[in-house]
Amino acid sequence: MGWFQDFDGERMKILFLNGPNLNLLGTREPGIYGTLTLADIERAVRGRAEGRKIEVDFRQSNHEGELVTWIQEARGTRDAIVLNAAAYTHTSVALRDAISASGVPTIEIHLSNVHAREAFRHHSHIAAVCRGQVSGFGVGSYLLGLEAAVIVIEGA
Ligand code: CA2
């Protein structure tokens, strides 16, 4: 049996969270972030999850506090979080504390390769409390984030 089919428990509940300005995807800066909208990316993620024991919740907020609240609410209700914290990656101790306090395994993702960009994008406040990071694969970072979440949930 494939590692992605052998989850014996309930459906895996995976929460995708997207931070500030990601609602603008597909409308500006296509050279860096591509031409897909966030709705296109959500469709791709749901397509990858289809037919598997995976329940996807996909959200975006421009507000740090709202993201903090959603991370807090994930405790006991979600099996993993896949988080593109956008600019808050590089600024937010609040998100880091929320991830740490929630205890929910979290995968950090980025569309662009943050390490190949400006120096201020090289540091992530959340990396140390995440299980790992996927950066630089466009929509593929979301799909890899989904697979990473499944691997973490299954304990593979
Ligand atoms: O590469 C990523 O996914 C980022 O998380 C995107 C953030 C950036 O601050 C991080 O360093 C890397 C920015 C998201 C803003 O998205 C826009 C989309 C279209 C137009 C303008 C911004």
Side-chain angles (χ1 to χ4, degrees), residues 81-128:
I81 299 170
V82 180
L83 173 62
N84 185 350
Y88 289 145
T89 305
H90 318 298
T91 64
S92 180
V93 176
L95 281 185
R96 178 198 167 105
D97 288 348
I99 295 163
S100 182
S102 78
V104 178
T106 299
I107 320 297
E108 175 182 353
I109 64 164
H110 300 285
L111 291 156
S112 62
N113 178 355
V114 289
H115 302 288
R117 299 183 63 194
E118 303 97 321
F120 69 84
R121 297 186 202 275
H122 297 178
H123 179 71
S124 165
H125 278 295
I126 64 173

Side-chain angles (χ1 to χ4, degrees), residues 16-33:
F16 280 76
L17 292 183
N18 296 279
N21 297 308
L22 287 166
N23 56 310
L24 299 177
L25 278 179
T27 65
R28 316 239 171 90
E29 307 212 42
I32 302 173
Y33 299 118

